Amino acid sequence: MTSAGLTRRRVMGAGLGAVGVALAGCSGGSGPVRRLRLATGPEGGPYNAFGKALAQAVAASVSRLEIVPVSTSASVNNLRKLDDGSVELALAMADAAEDAVLGRESFTRPAAVTALARVYVNYTHLLVPADGPVRSVRDLAGRPVAAGATGSGVQVVAGRVLRSAGLSDGPAATREQQLGLAASAAALREGAVDAVFWSGGVPTPALSDLARELPLRFLPLDDHVGALRQSHGPVYTAVTLPAGVYGLAEPVGTIGVGNYLLARDDVPQGATRELLRVVFERWSDLLREVTAGARLEPRFAISTGQVPLHPGAVTYYRSVYG
């Protein structure tokens, strides 16, 4: 087992102490402020909201850090920026992060990426007009589909779902359009696409707004979890869109993907420990605008699969949780 795996086992087996335990040399004191750029996502999206909330939380603490959110097209783009050093921190979906670490799919070589925490779960949404003919993934054959912006994590999971359903090539292939969330919602409203893929928290405000204008049907995707796990590992889980959100009368099973807060491995350990202190102290504020009812638990936070924990994160979890 790797040292990261052993560390996770020790942390998971430890008692959970108070998060606010002081870490020597990490908070307060004098000295220059360390500025860390955080690759988030497009304006108005959940990553962007989380990044801004984190920057505000850090600024309000006694930290010697400054977090500078950087708007991007999200996961894949963020991982490339992290690898090339144009940012020090990033948010990304677990499937794209594992691709980066392993140098597969969108990445031609392993990227310099480490994890600080798994912070919350994205829910995969596949929505169509409620009065339209599409009632299953297979009904998308040959139809125009908004499948996420170029460089986004939505694009990754949408492509894998369509491949799993046999709709990625040949006469049954969908006509994928690479659109961000706002453009996807507009295209569905205008009839330019027949379906929209989205991966985010629940509820996603832009989709709540759309559901008030256009009756929607959310297609179940949980039947695809097994095939995705077989091909890509346990980064995919079965989750449920609860009744009540988006006007849903009944729950809808779908695909869950974790979201990681990531760092380059050359970010100083003291900086990552201090950042995690703020994250765990202020998690309820950070997640409020991202996904309703979410909590950040240590056992959840250290579950970052193939993505190794940053050495500073290892020290933080050991120091705080034993």
Side-chain angles (χ1 to χ4, degrees):
M1 180 179 292
T2 65
S3 59
L6 289 170
T7 297
R8 292 193 181 100
R9 177 174 289 181
R10 293 190 191 103
V11 173
M12 291 175 72
L16 303 182
V19 172
V21 173
L23 296 174
C26 293
S27 62
S30 59
V33 172
R34 181 172 293 278
R35 186 172 182 265
L36 299 175
R37 297 162 295 181
L38 169 62
T40 60
E43 288 287 342
Y47 279 3
N48 199 264
F50 183 95
K52 289 177 178 177
L54 181 57
Q56 292 170 359
V58 169
S61 75
V62 295
S63 171
R64 302 299 299 172
L65 298 177
E66 179 188 3
I67 303 301
V68 181
V70 177
S71 296
T72 67
S73 59
S75 292
V76 175
N77 185 214
N78 291 358
L79 289 156
R80 289 186 173 132
K81 285 181 175 293
L82 199 65
D83 186 48
D84 69 22
S86 57
V87 298
E88 292 76 36
L89 305 170
L91 292 161
M93 287 169 57
D95 49 0
E98 290 206 353
D99 288 348
V101 166
L102 298 174
R104 68 186 182 192
E105 302 251 349
S106 299
F107 301 88
T108 57
R109 59 173 180 77
V113 172
T114 64
L116 299 182
R118 181 185 185 213
V119 287
Y120 69 97
V121 172
N122 265 10
Y123 287 60
T124 306
H125 302 59
L126 179 52
L127 51 142
V128 301
D131 60 358
V134 177
R135 295 181 173 274
S136 70
V137 176
R138 292 293 303 173
D139 291 338
L140 294 174
R143 296 180 179 275
V145 175
T150 300
S152 69
V154 183
Q155 186 181 28
V156 174
V157 70
R160 289 176 177 176
V161 168
L162 293 173
R163 285 196 295 275
S164 171
L167 302 178
S168 60
D169 52 33
T174 58
R175 290 179 279 134
E176 295 178 42
Q177 298 184 25
Q178 308 309 322
L179 302 174
L181 179 57
S184 295
L188 191 69
R189 189 187 300 112
E190 296 162 5
V193 298
D194 291 332
V196 168
F197 276 95
W198 168 247
S199 185
V202 179
T204 294
L207 297 187
S208 296
D209 292 343
L210 180 63
R212 285 189 282 270
E213 301 176 39
L214 175 70
L216 298 173
R217 177 182 297 119
F218 288 77
L219 302 185
L221 295 173
D222 47 332
D223 284 350
H224 295 272
V225 172
L228 293 183
R229 287 174 66 91
Q230 185 174 5
S231 299
H232 305 286
V235 291
Y236 297 108
T237 58
V239 295
T240 302
L241 295 171
V245 298
Y246 312 123
L248 289 172
E250 298 180 350
V252 176
T254 191
I255 301 162
V257 189
N259 287 297
Y260 297 163
L261 177 61
L262 303 160
R264 287 181 56 82
D265 58 9
D266 56 4
V267 174
Q269 292 191 35
T272 59
R273 295 198 303 271
E274 177 61 11
L275 180 60
L276 283 170
R277 181 186 65 80
V278 175
V279 167
F280 275 89
E281 286 180 352
R282 299 289 298 276
W283 64 263
S284 60
D285 297 327
L286 299 176
L287 298 180
R288 182 178 297 122
E289 301 301 321
V290 174
T291 186
R295 293 182 60 86
L296 181 57
E297 301 285 355
R299 295 171 190 270
F300 174 93
I302 62 174
S303 300
T304 57
Q306 299 279 355
V307 183
L309 289 170
H310 186 284
V314 172
T315 303
Y316 173 81
Y317 292 117
R318 283 177 173 167
S319 297
V320 176
Y321 303 112

